[in-house]
Amino acid sequence: MGYMTKNSARTTGSMQVKRGLAEMLKGGVIMDVVNSEQAKIAEDAGAVAVMALERVPADIRRDGGVARMSDPEMIIAIQASVSVPVMAKARIGHFVEAQILQSLGVDFIDESEVLTPADETHHIDKLAFDTPFVCGATNLGEALRRISEGAALIRSKGEAGTGNVVEAVRHLRNIIGDIRKITQADSAELFEWAKKLGAPLPLVQEIAETGLLQVPLFCAGGIATPADAALAMQLGAQSVFVGSGIFKSDDPSPRAKAIVEATLHYMDADILAKVSRNLGAPMTGIGMDQINERYAERGW
Amino acid sequence: MALQGAFVAHEVMLQSLGANTVQVRTPQDLQLVDALVMPGGESTTMSHLLNTSQLFDPIAKRINDAMPVFGTCAGMILLAKSIADGRPDQCFFGAIDIDVQRNAYGRQVESFETDLTITGLETPFHAMFIRAPQVVRVGSDVEVLSSYEDKVVLARQGSVMVASFHPELTSDSRIHSLFLREV
């Protein structure tokens, strides 16, 4: 009784704490894994985090049907097998899946267009959670709407499960190109930018001032080679997500290591040439005209 | 050290204090610097990349030659004498006489911010702990600069300084100033 603690109270789940973890993941590779064995291969190869899911996007695309949150049992098994952060996906708008993932202690929730959307109007109110969220975006307006809903990290969507980097490049260029233009706009033009993007004016004004997105920007969707990863980084992504690209290739472990090294030394063509050698066949990949459903169009 | 993690935030803060900075990714980069910051990030990833980039031995040698080093979070883990639950193949420098336990505060939902009292600073320092490691043993030659809930969170031994939290994630540059005084 009468004991006064000299420790001040701790605050969890603040925006700064959520964004803090995103900062720690910069310059890294986040790999999709479907079981503990793959998770260990990913961690051994130097992944900064793993995304636990039942089927990689290439298989979701092949199988069709409704894609949902993964079985908690497999997420728990993956959490037990690695020490790096574990992410998992919830359907767009499915806040109960997100509640379950938070209860499992998942480190980052991906409100993902790769799963079948649960709500065709609303995204999850991410401010209501202590667990940070990552969301996909194809353009700056989408990115800023997700940030206003509480996303702590944005990834360009690309087109998951294709092994084709063309959409990832388009989306990164959309986002970064518009940021660049906004920094040149005068104060009156910012109102028009906010209207055009469908984004909150204060966020647009902040970008005009800082030249930066409010949260880190990573790249996802179609990265299959070390050169793809370095391309995303040179275009301005701060980390890369690799989904099907690793475990749908002939020899996942060397490819995973090579993509990690390419993400670090993305400006050094000599090192990129060295790490790109003898990796076996990458995933086959598909052209955009051969797919019947574009996941990137999911999200509002 | 720019292998992975929050190195840009450190760089911005050091530059605001008038320091010139270089992103160290190769042994050649290392020759350009007088002092090294090891940022937060994933210590398993950095450990892996220290080997693939042939940086481990040159950095160990520079630390041995008294180059000032400041490690935050993952950087602290890399500088510790032993890691309680590290991977068996994880490399670290053993540059400061502390033992650490990784992710000791729990998963990301347990990550937090709080105010710390720090030796040499007149007002509290607002600190971010992100999946932070804990110091589980402190050697007698280590100077403790701050503790939180009976655990050491900021310490120094010779030219090596470590923090289990992230001073680079705030706008308060006082801890970086403390470090730069050693350089």
Side-chain angles (χ1 to χ4, degrees), chain A residues 6-14 16-18 20-21 23-28 40 43-48 79 82-86 102 104-107 130-132 257 260-261 264-266 271, chain B residues 2-9 25-26 40-42 44-45 48-49 52-54 87 89 102-103 105 107-117 126 128-131 147-150 166 168-170:
Chain A
K6 65 182 165 120
N7 300 309
S8 60
R10 52 169 87 176
T11 312
T12 55
S14 66
Q16 263 193 305
V17 165
K18 292 178 183 173
L21 183 58
E23 292 287 331
M24 296 310 132
L25 300 175
K26 280 185 178 173
K40 282 191 201 122
E43 191 182 53
D44 288 346
V48 288
Q79 285 174 322
V82 292
S83 66
V84 294
V86 176
Q102 173 161 284
L104 293 173
V106 158
D107 295 296
D130 281 351
T131 304
K257 286 181 185 150
V260 168
E261 281 201 61
L264 163 60
H265 298 290
Y266 66 93
I271 295 180
Chain B
L3 293 176
Q4 189 271 315
F7 53 87
V8 174
R25 294 186 173 85
T26 64
E42 280 308 310
T44 52
T45 304
H48 176 83
L49 293 171
T52 58
S53 305
Q54 279 96 44
R87 289 166 53 94
D89 60 347
R102 297 181 56 211
N103 305 332
Y105 291 94
R107 296 198 160 272
Q108 171 63 14
V109 278
E110 309 295 332
S111 293
F112 62 98
E113 46 187 302
T114 192
D115 287 328
L116 300 175
T117 305
H126 192 67
M128 304 281 148
F129 290 79
I130 311 289
R131 285 171 44 99
S147 296
Y148 179 72
E149 291 179 349
D150 301 326
H166 294 282
E168 76 280 11
L169 292 187
T170 59

XYZ file of all heavy atoms in Angstrom, chain A residues 6-14 16-18 20-21 23-28 40 43-48 79 82-86 102 104-107 130-132 257 260-261 264-266 271, chain B residues 2-9 25-26 40-42 44-45 48-49 52-54 87 89 102-103 105 107-117 126 128-131 147-150 166 168-170:
755
model
N 7.273 4.068 -10.351
C 7.939 5.129 -11.107
C 7.773 4.888 -12.603
O 8.239 5.640 -13.429
C 9.415 5.223 -10.725
C 10.218 3.997 -11.095
C 11.652 4.166 -10.641
C 12.348 2.841 -10.672
N 13.436 2.582 -11.421
N 7.108 3.794 -12.955
C 6.889 3.523 -14.369
C 5.606 4.203 -14.832
O 4.585 4.076 -14.169
C 6.753 2.027 -14.603
C 7.992 1.281 -14.171
O 9.089 1.641 -14.553
N 7.807 0.268 -13.353
N 5.679 4.893 -15.946
C 4.447 5.480 -16.434
C 3.678 4.423 -17.221
O 4.220 3.393 -17.608
C 4.748 6.702 -17.290
O 5.525 6.330 -18.375
N 2.414 4.698 -17.433
C 1.532 3.719 -18.058
C 1.965 3.448 -19.488
O 2.605 4.274 -20.126
C 0.116 4.249 -18.043
N 1.612 2.282 -19.986
C 1.910 1.988 -21.377
C 0.637 2.077 -22.220
O -0.446 1.767 -21.757
C 2.576 0.627 -21.531
C 1.867 -0.543 -20.882
C 2.488 -1.853 -21.327
N 3.620 -2.276 -20.509
C 4.259 -3.443 -20.678
N 3.898 -4.271 -21.643
N 5.253 -3.786 -19.909
N 0.807 2.532 -23.457
C -0.298 2.624 -24.399
C -0.049 1.631 -25.517
O 1.011 1.672 -26.142
C -0.349 4.037 -25.024
O -0.248 4.986 -23.967
C -1.629 4.251 -25.794
N -1.015 0.750 -25.760
C -0.866 -0.189 -26.871
C -1.806 0.212 -28.009
O -2.757 0.966 -27.803
C -1.231 -1.631 -26.436
O -2.550 -1.600 -25.896
C -0.284 -2.170 -25.400
N -1.520 -0.292 -29.200
C -2.438 -0.141 -30.322
C -2.571 1.260 -30.888
O -3.498 1.525 -31.655
N -1.662 2.179 -30.528
C -1.734 3.516 -31.113
C -1.268 3.452 -32.567
O -0.600 2.507 -32.979
C -0.841 4.480 -30.340
O 0.512 4.100 -30.521
N 0.991 5.168 -33.931
C 2.461 5.193 -34.005
C 3.068 3.817 -33.747
O 4.059 3.444 -34.363
C 3.012 6.185 -32.980
C 3.320 7.533 -33.591
C 4.138 8.383 -32.643
O 3.741 8.599 -31.502
N 5.268 8.858 -33.109
N 2.464 3.090 -32.816
C 2.966 1.752 -32.508
C 2.705 0.804 -33.687
O 3.541 -0.019 -34.045
C 2.312 1.223 -31.208
C 2.524 -0.272 -31.060
C 2.877 1.954 -30.001
N 1.539 0.972 -34.317
C 1.221 0.127 -35.477
C 2.162 0.431 -36.639
O 2.716 -0.465 -37.276
C -0.215 0.387 -35.936
C -1.277 -0.086 -34.964
C -2.635 0.296 -35.531
C -3.767 -0.066 -34.596
N -5.052 0.462 -35.105
N 4.974 1.693 -36.415
C 6.324 1.308 -35.988
C 6.713 -0.056 -36.520
O 7.824 -0.236 -37.013
N 5.799 -1.009 -36.458
C 6.141 -2.350 -36.960
C 6.351 -2.312 -38.475
O 7.260 -2.962 -39.001
C 5.071 -3.387 -36.594
C 5.405 -4.818 -37.037
C 6.730 -5.299 -36.442
C 4.301 -5.793 -36.685
N 7.572 0.118 -40.110
C 8.922 0.682 -40.297
C 9.989 -0.416 -40.172
O 10.983 -0.428 -40.886
C 9.204 1.764 -39.250
C 8.370 3.027 -39.406
C 8.816 3.870 -40.594
O 10.002 3.817 -40.954
O 7.951 4.572 -41.161
N 9.769 -1.328 -39.228
C 10.751 -2.390 -38.971
C 10.838 -3.386 -40.125
O 11.804 -4.110 -40.256
C 10.399 -3.157 -37.687
C 10.466 -2.320 -36.444
S 12.000 -1.409 -36.331
C 11.374 0.230 -35.943
N 9.780 -3.441 -40.938
C 9.745 -4.416 -42.036
C 10.355 -3.868 -43.325
O 10.442 -4.570 -44.324
C 8.295 -4.848 -42.298
C 7.575 -5.515 -41.119
C 6.116 -5.770 -41.470
C 8.258 -6.813 -40.729
N 10.789 -2.594 -43.287
C 11.323 -1.977 -44.506
C 12.586 -2.680 -44.990
O 13.356 -3.206 -44.200
C 11.638 -0.501 -44.240
C 10.417 0.399 -44.291
C 10.847 1.845 -44.139
C 9.670 2.793 -44.240
N 10.100 4.187 -43.930
N 12.768 -2.628 -46.304
C 13.965 -3.227 -46.894
C 13.950 -4.737 -46.810
O 14.998 -5.370 -46.825
N 12.764 -5.321 -46.723
C 12.690 -6.767 -46.522
C 11.746 -7.451 -47.485
O 11.113 -6.825 -48.340
N 9.563 -22.039 -42.177
C 10.973 -22.162 -41.763
C 11.918 -21.886 -42.926
O 12.941 -21.223 -42.751
C 11.235 -23.563 -41.198
C 10.713 -23.706 -39.785
C 11.228 -25.000 -39.159
C 10.342 -25.399 -37.993
N 9.750 -26.729 -38.143
N 12.018 -18.160 -43.253
C 12.821 -17.505 -42.207
C 14.308 -17.766 -42.426
O 15.135 -16.856 -42.292
C 12.383 -17.981 -40.821
C 12.988 -17.150 -39.697
C 12.593 -17.645 -38.312
O 12.780 -18.851 -38.024
O 12.095 -16.835 -37.526
N 14.653 -19.010 -42.773
C 16.061 -19.340 -43.056
C 16.620 -18.500 -44.199
O 17.801 -18.186 -44.226
C 16.200 -20.824 -43.453
C 16.011 -21.752 -42.264
O 16.042 -21.254 -41.122
O 15.822 -22.968 -42.477
N 15.759 -18.181 -45.149
C 16.217 -17.426 -46.322
C 16.343 -15.936 -46.021
O 16.824 -15.172 -46.842
C 15.249 -17.643 -47.475
N 15.870 -15.504 -44.842
C 15.997 -14.099 -44.471
C 14.731 -13.287 -44.634
O 14.781 -12.051 -44.663
N 13.558 -13.937 -44.709
C 12.292 -13.188 -44.774
C 12.131 -12.338 -43.520
O 12.488 -12.778 -42.428
C 11.112 -14.163 -44.888
N 11.578 -11.116 -43.654
C 11.337 -10.286 -42.472
C 10.017 -10.649 -41.810
O 9.779 -10.284 -40.659
C 11.313 -8.775 -42.770
C 12.703 -8.260 -43.080
C 10.338 -8.426 -43.862
N 2.864 -19.716 -36.383
C 3.367 -18.820 -35.329
C 4.369 -19.544 -34.438
O 5.358 -18.972 -33.998
C 2.209 -18.308 -34.464
C 1.374 -17.233 -35.149
C 0.148 -16.857 -34.325
O -0.485 -17.711 -33.696
N -0.186 -15.575 -34.320
N 8.162 -20.083 -36.259
C 9.121 -19.021 -36.605
C 9.085 -17.889 -35.583
O 8.112 -17.734 -34.842
C 8.832 -18.422 -38.009
C 9.107 -19.431 -39.113
C 7.414 -17.886 -38.113
N 10.178 -17.081 -35.561
C 10.232 -15.949 -34.625
C 9.957 -14.617 -35.317
O 9.768 -13.606 -34.659
C 11.594 -15.898 -33.944
O 12.600 -15.611 -34.899
N 9.937 -14.617 -36.645
C 9.631 -13.363 -37.350
C 8.119 -13.107 -37.259
O 7.354 -14.021 -36.949
C 10.070 -13.414 -38.833
C 11.578 -13.513 -38.951
C 9.400 -14.557 -39.576
N 7.673 -11.849 -37.522
C 6.244 -11.561 -37.459
C 5.442 -12.441 -38.425
O 5.916 -12.787 -39.501
C 6.149 -10.092 -37.878
C 7.493 -9.527 -37.590
C 8.465 -10.648 -37.809
N 4.234 -12.802 -37.988
C 3.337 -13.603 -38.815
C 2.118 -12.756 -39.183
O 1.463 -12.189 -38.307
C 2.893 -14.883 -38.070
C 1.871 -15.668 -38.891
C 4.095 -15.766 -37.755
N -6.920 -11.024 -34.733
C -6.341 -10.256 -33.619
C -6.271 -11.123 -32.365
O -5.287 -11.102 -31.636
C -7.156 -8.992 -33.344
C -6.708 -8.251 -32.090
C -7.166 -6.810 -32.037
O -6.622 -5.943 -32.718
N -8.184 -6.539 -31.238
N -5.875 -14.238 -32.238
C -4.790 -15.218 -32.402
C -3.413 -14.589 -32.189
O -2.406 -15.288 -32.141
C -4.830 -15.826 -33.811
C -6.026 -16.718 -34.158
C -5.988 -17.094 -35.632
C -6.024 -17.972 -33.295
N -3.364 -13.252 -32.103
C -2.078 -12.583 -31.920
C -1.286 -12.457 -33.201
O -0.063 -12.328 -33.183
N -1.993 -12.477 -34.335
C -1.331 -12.228 -35.614
C -0.706 -10.822 -35.571
O -1.289 -9.907 -35.002
C -2.393 -12.356 -36.734
C -1.986 -11.631 -37.985
C -2.672 -13.821 -37.009
N 0.513 -10.658 -36.116
C 1.214 -9.380 -35.981
C 0.722 -8.310 -36.948
O 0.830 -7.118 -36.667
C 2.717 -9.598 -36.178
C 3.308 -10.473 -35.078
O 3.289 -10.035 -33.919
O 3.752 -11.595 -35.379
N -6.294 -3.082 -32.312
C -4.937 -2.831 -31.825
C -3.899 -3.427 -32.775
O -2.750 -3.006 -32.797
C -4.731 -3.474 -30.434
C -5.341 -2.615 -29.338
O -5.754 -1.465 -29.645
O -5.421 -3.075 -28.192
N -4.298 -4.450 -33.511
C -3.395 -5.069 -34.484
C -3.313 -4.182 -35.726
O -4.346 -3.696 -36.193
C -3.932 -6.461 -34.881
O -4.082 -7.233 -33.696
C -2.991 -7.172 -35.834
N -2.109 -3.956 -36.251
C -2.003 -3.133 -37.455
C -2.535 -3.862 -38.696
O -2.538 -5.089 -38.741
C -0.502 -2.880 -37.594
C 0.167 -3.942 -36.793
C -0.791 -4.374 -35.726
N 16.233 -16.867 -51.048
C 17.464 -16.168 -50.628
C 17.872 -15.111 -51.637
O 18.279 -14.000 -51.275
C 18.615 -17.171 -50.464
C 18.479 -18.022 -49.209
C 19.636 -18.987 -49.071
C 19.385 -19.889 -47.864
N 19.954 -21.214 -47.979
N 15.725 -12.054 -51.377
C 16.105 -11.265 -50.192
C 17.345 -10.426 -50.495
O 17.389 -9.219 -50.196
C 16.362 -12.196 -48.980
C 17.032 -11.438 -47.841
C 15.050 -12.827 -48.498
N 18.341 -11.035 -51.121
C 19.563 -10.277 -51.430
C 19.312 -9.188 -52.463
O 19.872 -8.100 -52.387
C 20.657 -11.222 -51.928
C 21.333 -11.951 -50.790
C 22.696 -12.477 -51.196
O 23.567 -11.664 -51.561
O 22.861 -13.707 -51.155
N 17.829 -6.137 -50.863
C 18.833 -5.327 -50.157
C 19.712 -4.556 -51.145
O 19.887 -3.355 -51.024
C 19.697 -6.241 -49.272
C 21.026 -5.684 -48.771
C 20.814 -4.425 -47.935
C 21.761 -6.727 -47.944
N 20.259 -5.277 -52.128
C 21.230 -4.655 -53.045
C 20.532 -4.235 -54.339
O 21.055 -4.454 -55.428
C 22.364 -5.633 -53.338
C 23.157 -6.024 -52.124
N 24.000 -5.150 -51.467
C 23.218 -7.180 -51.418
C 24.559 -5.761 -50.420
N 24.094 -6.991 -50.369
N 19.342 -3.627 -54.223
C 18.528 -3.388 -55.412
C 19.148 -2.391 -56.380
O 18.757 -2.328 -57.536
C 17.111 -2.949 -55.007
C 17.020 -1.614 -54.310
C 16.774 -0.442 -55.026
C 17.154 -1.512 -52.936
C 16.670 0.779 -54.394
C 17.053 -0.293 -52.289
C 16.818 0.863 -53.027
O 16.729 2.068 -52.396
N 25.679 -7.259 -58.168
C 25.164 -8.234 -57.199
C 23.885 -8.880 -57.731
O 23.692 -10.089 -57.606
C 24.931 -7.562 -55.825
C 26.271 -7.098 -55.242
C 24.220 -8.533 -54.859
C 26.193 -6.419 -53.899
N 22.577 -0.478 -43.163
C 21.330 -0.382 -43.933
C 20.973 -1.719 -44.568
O 20.557 -1.785 -45.716
C 21.465 0.704 -45.000
N 21.147 -2.808 -43.826
C 20.816 -4.128 -44.376
C 19.314 -4.307 -44.455
O 18.797 -4.928 -45.367
C 21.438 -5.229 -43.508
C 22.963 -5.283 -43.524
C 23.469 -6.336 -42.556
C 23.474 -5.557 -44.936
N 18.608 -3.779 -43.462
C 17.150 -3.962 -43.401
C 16.655 -3.173 -42.202
O 17.391 -2.934 -41.268
C 16.817 -5.461 -43.232
C 15.348 -5.834 -43.377
C 14.608 -5.762 -42.052
O 15.110 -6.228 -41.043
N 13.430 -5.149 -42.045
N 15.373 -2.767 -42.257
C 14.759 -2.152 -41.087
C 14.657 -0.633 -41.174
O 14.615 -0.066 -42.262
N 14.643 0.013 -39.996
C 14.293 1.435 -39.906
C 15.523 2.334 -40.018
O 15.662 3.301 -39.274
C 13.554 1.684 -38.592
N 16.409 2.028 -40.963
C 17.647 2.809 -41.040
C 17.422 4.236 -41.529
O 18.123 5.152 -41.132
C 18.716 2.086 -41.861
C 18.280 1.640 -43.230
C 18.367 2.495 -44.305
C 17.789 0.349 -43.436
C 17.969 2.082 -45.567
C 17.401 -0.076 -44.689
C 17.478 0.796 -45.762
N 16.410 4.429 -42.384
C 16.181 5.783 -42.904
C 15.762 6.727 -41.774
O 16.203 7.887 -41.723
C 15.136 5.780 -44.050
C 14.802 7.197 -44.470
C 15.674 4.997 -45.248
N 14.953 6.236 -40.839
C 14.528 7.075 -39.714
C 15.736 7.510 -38.883
O 15.828 8.672 -38.451
C 13.531 6.306 -38.843
N 25.984 -1.036 -46.663
C 25.501 -2.334 -47.144
C 26.647 -3.275 -47.513
O 26.439 -4.457 -47.701
C 24.623 -2.159 -48.390
C 23.313 -1.433 -48.158
C 22.454 -1.442 -49.425
N 21.140 -0.890 -49.176
C 20.852 0.407 -49.220
N 21.790 1.278 -49.529
N 19.619 0.844 -48.953
N 27.827 -2.721 -47.674
C 28.979 -3.517 -48.118
C 30.204 -3.149 -47.268
O 30.218 -2.094 -46.617
C 29.331 -3.197 -49.591
O 29.737 -1.821 -49.668
C 28.142 -3.431 -50.518
N 16.501 -0.884 -35.794
C 15.483 -1.898 -35.538
C 15.100 -2.564 -36.848
O 15.305 -2.020 -37.931
N 14.552 -3.746 -36.741
C 14.158 -4.519 -37.910
C 14.036 -5.943 -37.436
O 13.725 -6.185 -36.272
N 14.320 -6.899 -38.301
C 14.292 -8.292 -37.877
C 15.724 -8.789 -37.683
O 16.507 -8.831 -38.634
C 13.551 -9.147 -38.912
C 12.048 -9.056 -38.769
C 11.570 -9.346 -37.343
O 11.981 -10.368 -36.768
O 10.801 -8.531 -36.793
N 16.912 -11.741 -37.181
C 17.267 -12.958 -37.927
C 17.635 -12.600 -39.366
O 18.581 -13.134 -39.933
C 16.102 -13.965 -37.968
O 14.925 -13.303 -38.421
C 15.833 -14.544 -36.605
N 16.882 -11.676 -39.959
C 17.169 -11.237 -41.326
C 18.522 -10.541 -41.393
O 19.346 -10.811 -42.268
C 16.071 -10.270 -41.807
O 14.805 -10.921 -41.694
C 16.292 -9.849 -43.244
N 21.401 -12.952 -41.109
C 21.573 -13.628 -42.391
C 22.312 -12.716 -43.386
O 23.262 -13.135 -44.058
C 20.180 -13.987 -42.915
C 20.145 -14.599 -44.266
N 20.364 -15.944 -44.474
C 19.912 -14.059 -45.490
C 20.279 -16.201 -45.762
N 19.994 -15.080 -46.400
N 21.900 -11.460 -43.440
C 22.472 -10.541 -44.432
C 23.881 -10.075 -44.053
O 24.670 -9.723 -44.921
C 21.538 -9.340 -44.634
C 20.187 -9.692 -45.286
C 19.240 -8.500 -45.237
C 20.382 -10.152 -46.734
N 25.795 -12.883 -45.742
C 25.807 -12.885 -47.210
C 26.509 -11.645 -47.764
O 27.042 -11.678 -48.855
C 24.380 -12.954 -47.795
O 23.631 -11.841 -47.319
C 23.670 -14.236 -47.392
N 26.497 -10.542 -47.003
C 27.137 -9.313 -47.488
C 28.589 -9.187 -47.034
O 29.204 -8.139 -47.224
C 26.363 -8.088 -47.007
O 25.020 -8.172 -47.386
N 29.116 -10.243 -46.414
C 30.502 -10.227 -45.900
C 30.779 -9.016 -45.017
O 31.838 -8.397 -45.078
C 31.539 -10.254 -47.046
C 31.793 -11.630 -47.617
C 30.954 -11.889 -48.854
O 30.849 -11.034 -49.714
N 30.341 -13.048 -48.913
N 17.997 -17.947 -32.894
C 18.197 -19.126 -33.730
C 19.622 -19.624 -33.514
O 20.527 -18.834 -33.297
C 18.019 -18.742 -35.200
C 16.599 -18.428 -35.614
C 16.619 -17.723 -36.975
N 17.371 -18.500 -37.956
C 16.818 -19.375 -38.798
N 15.520 -19.559 -38.785
N 17.551 -20.041 -39.669
N 21.803 -20.507 -35.534
C 22.776 -19.989 -36.506
C 22.842 -18.458 -36.512
O 23.481 -17.861 -37.358
C 22.406 -20.486 -37.909
C 21.019 -20.022 -38.339
O 20.254 -19.543 -37.471
O 20.702 -20.136 -39.536
N 14.631 -12.232 -27.120
C 13.904 -11.639 -28.245
C 12.407 -11.629 -27.997
O 11.870 -12.508 -27.341
C 14.183 -12.425 -29.537
C 15.632 -12.386 -29.966
C 15.820 -13.166 -31.258
N 14.931 -12.661 -32.286
C 14.411 -13.401 -33.253
N 14.673 -14.685 -33.315
N 13.612 -12.872 -34.144
N 11.732 -10.616 -28.580
C 10.259 -10.520 -28.554
C 9.684 -10.797 -27.157
O 8.620 -11.402 -27.018
C 9.627 -11.506 -29.542
C 10.165 -11.334 -30.957
O 10.581 -10.235 -31.323
N 10.153 -12.387 -31.739
N 8.363 -8.979 -24.896
C 7.126 -8.321 -24.472
C 5.900 -8.917 -25.167
O 4.786 -8.495 -24.937
C 7.191 -6.810 -24.737
C 8.173 -6.084 -23.849
C 9.476 -5.848 -24.272
C 7.802 -5.636 -22.585
C 10.388 -5.177 -23.458
C 8.701 -4.964 -21.766
C 9.988 -4.738 -22.207
O 10.880 -4.089 -21.401
N 3.755 -10.432 -28.765
C 3.504 -10.148 -30.168
C 3.138 -8.675 -30.370
O 3.050 -7.927 -29.417
C 2.397 -11.077 -30.689
C 2.821 -12.526 -30.662
C 1.983 -13.414 -31.538
N 2.718 -14.637 -31.834
C 3.552 -14.776 -32.860
N 3.718 -13.802 -33.719
N 4.201 -15.901 -33.054
N 2.854 -8.315 -31.638
C 2.641 -6.904 -31.944
C 1.516 -6.265 -31.127
O 1.625 -5.107 -30.744
C 2.380 -6.722 -33.445
C 1.940 -5.334 -33.884
C 2.988 -4.255 -33.620
O 4.147 -4.534 -33.338
N 2.553 -2.998 -33.667
N 0.445 -6.993 -30.814
C -0.637 -6.369 -30.024
C -0.144 -5.895 -28.663
O -0.757 -5.019 -28.047
C -1.865 -7.295 -29.810
C -2.773 -7.266 -31.000
C -1.459 -8.698 -29.452
N 0.984 -6.463 -28.186
C 1.543 -6.027 -26.898
C 2.545 -4.881 -27.059
O 3.061 -4.373 -26.059
C 2.263 -7.198 -26.206
C 1.463 -8.486 -26.082
C 0.264 -8.320 -25.183
O 0.311 -7.464 -24.284
O -0.727 -9.044 -25.403
N 2.884 -4.523 -28.282
C 3.804 -3.400 -28.499
C 3.192 -2.142 -27.897
O 1.983 -1.976 -27.901
C 4.062 -3.202 -29.988
O 4.784 -4.295 -30.511
N 4.037 -1.242 -27.379
C 3.474 -0.104 -26.638
C 4.370 1.120 -26.704
O 5.522 1.059 -27.125
C 3.247 -0.490 -25.170
C 4.505 -0.863 -24.422
C 5.159 0.057 -23.611
C 5.037 -2.147 -24.532
C 6.320 -0.285 -22.917
C 6.205 -2.505 -23.838
C 6.839 -1.573 -23.032
N 3.800 2.266 -26.260
C 4.595 3.469 -26.054
C 4.451 3.912 -24.611
O 3.412 3.681 -23.983
C 4.205 4.582 -27.032
C 2.729 4.830 -27.191
C 2.438 5.836 -28.309
O 2.949 6.961 -28.219
O 1.700 5.484 -29.242
N 5.499 4.526 -24.091
C 5.463 4.978 -22.696
C 6.531 6.050 -22.490
O 7.361 6.288 -23.363
C 5.701 3.790 -21.740
O 5.390 4.198 -20.402
C 7.141 3.299 -21.789
N 6.507 6.710 -21.313
C 7.526 7.711 -20.993
C 8.610 7.094 -20.123
O 8.312 6.375 -19.177
C 6.890 8.891 -20.250
C 6.049 9.744 -21.178
O 6.402 9.827 -22.375
O 5.053 10.313 -20.725
N 9.868 7.396 -20.448
C 11.009 6.855 -19.696
C 11.779 7.985 -19.030
O 11.902 9.075 -19.580
C 11.973 6.137 -20.648
C 11.455 4.943 -21.445
C 12.543 4.482 -22.413
C 11.044 3.817 -20.513
N 12.306 7.683 -17.845
C 13.248 8.595 -17.203
C 14.649 8.143 -17.595
O 14.988 6.972 -17.443
C 13.104 8.508 -15.675
O 11.733 8.754 -15.358
C 13.986 9.524 -14.986
N 9.747 10.004 -24.580
C 8.626 9.175 -25.015
C 9.146 8.074 -25.930
O 9.728 8.350 -26.975
C 7.582 10.032 -25.737
C 6.297 9.288 -25.943
N 5.492 8.927 -24.894
C 5.706 8.817 -27.058
C 4.446 8.259 -25.356
N 4.553 8.182 -26.672
N 8.965 4.190 -27.993
C 8.169 3.156 -28.676
C 8.853 1.804 -28.481
O 10.032 1.664 -28.821
C 8.166 3.373 -30.193
C 7.689 4.693 -30.667
S 5.920 4.729 -30.641
C 5.754 6.459 -30.273
N 8.108 0.839 -27.985
C 8.617 -0.538 -27.884
C 7.835 -1.388 -28.885
O 6.629 -1.572 -28.739
C 8.405 -1.100 -26.472
C 9.290 -0.471 -25.425
C 8.988 0.777 -24.896
C 10.418 -1.136 -24.964
C 9.800 1.353 -23.926
C 11.237 -0.570 -23.993
C 10.930 0.679 -23.472
N 8.509 -1.878 -29.935
C 7.850 -2.644 -30.996
C 8.374 -4.079 -30.955
O 9.533 -4.319 -31.288
C 8.160 -2.040 -32.396
C 7.934 -0.523 -32.420
C 7.354 -2.753 -33.481
C 6.513 -0.079 -32.353
N 7.541 -5.014 -30.560
C 7.990 -6.416 -30.409
C 9.389 -6.433 -29.811
O 10.322 -7.057 -30.319
C 7.990 -7.132 -31.778
C 6.598 -7.498 -32.284
C 6.599 -8.006 -33.736
N 7.659 -8.943 -34.014
C 7.533 -10.276 -34.039
N 6.364 -10.822 -33.839
N 8.561 -11.055 -34.307
N 15.692 2.327 -17.061
C 15.006 1.046 -16.861
C 13.510 1.287 -16.932
O 13.036 2.392 -16.663
C 15.323 0.461 -15.480
O 16.683 0.160 -15.392
N 12.787 0.234 -17.311
C 11.331 0.293 -17.307
C 10.815 -1.019 -16.747
O 11.201 -2.088 -17.226
C 10.801 0.531 -18.733
C 9.302 0.579 -18.815
C 8.600 1.674 -18.309
C 8.587 -0.478 -19.371
C 7.216 1.711 -18.364
C 7.208 -0.441 -19.439
C 6.521 0.656 -18.928
O 5.154 0.707 -18.984
N 9.982 -0.939 -15.743
C 9.467 -2.129 -15.055
C 10.608 -3.088 -14.706
O 10.559 -4.279 -15.006
C 8.382 -2.810 -15.907
C 7.129 -1.949 -15.978
C 6.018 -2.560 -16.830
O 6.287 -3.549 -17.534
O 4.885 -2.034 -16.780
N 11.624 -2.537 -14.080
C 12.777 -3.307 -13.579
C 13.632 -3.946 -14.662
O 14.521 -4.732 -14.357
C 12.320 -4.398 -12.588
C 11.593 -3.800 -11.396
O 11.974 -2.678 -11.001
O 10.642 -4.435 -10.906
N 12.760 2.425 -29.608
C 13.073 3.055 -30.901
C 13.102 4.576 -30.824
O 12.120 5.222 -31.174
C 12.038 2.635 -31.942
C 12.083 1.191 -32.270
N 13.027 0.652 -33.110
C 11.335 0.153 -31.852
C 12.851 -0.648 -33.208
N 11.830 -0.980 -32.446
N 14.413 6.462 -32.814
C 14.338 7.011 -34.179
C 12.902 7.192 -34.647
O 12.663 7.861 -35.646
C 15.118 6.107 -35.152
C 14.432 4.801 -35.554
C 14.553 3.693 -34.512
O 14.990 3.969 -33.375
O 14.187 2.539 -34.836
N 11.943 6.606 -33.947
C 10.548 6.707 -34.402
C 9.822 7.912 -33.820
O 8.646 8.118 -34.094
C 9.770 5.428 -34.040
C 10.161 4.147 -34.775
C 9.202 3.020 -34.433
C 10.203 4.355 -36.292
N 10.491 8.706 -32.999
C 9.856 9.906 -32.456
C 10.551 11.119 -33.080
O 11.446 10.967 -33.908
C 10.027 9.958 -30.931
O 11.426 9.950 -30.636
C 9.379 8.755 -30.268
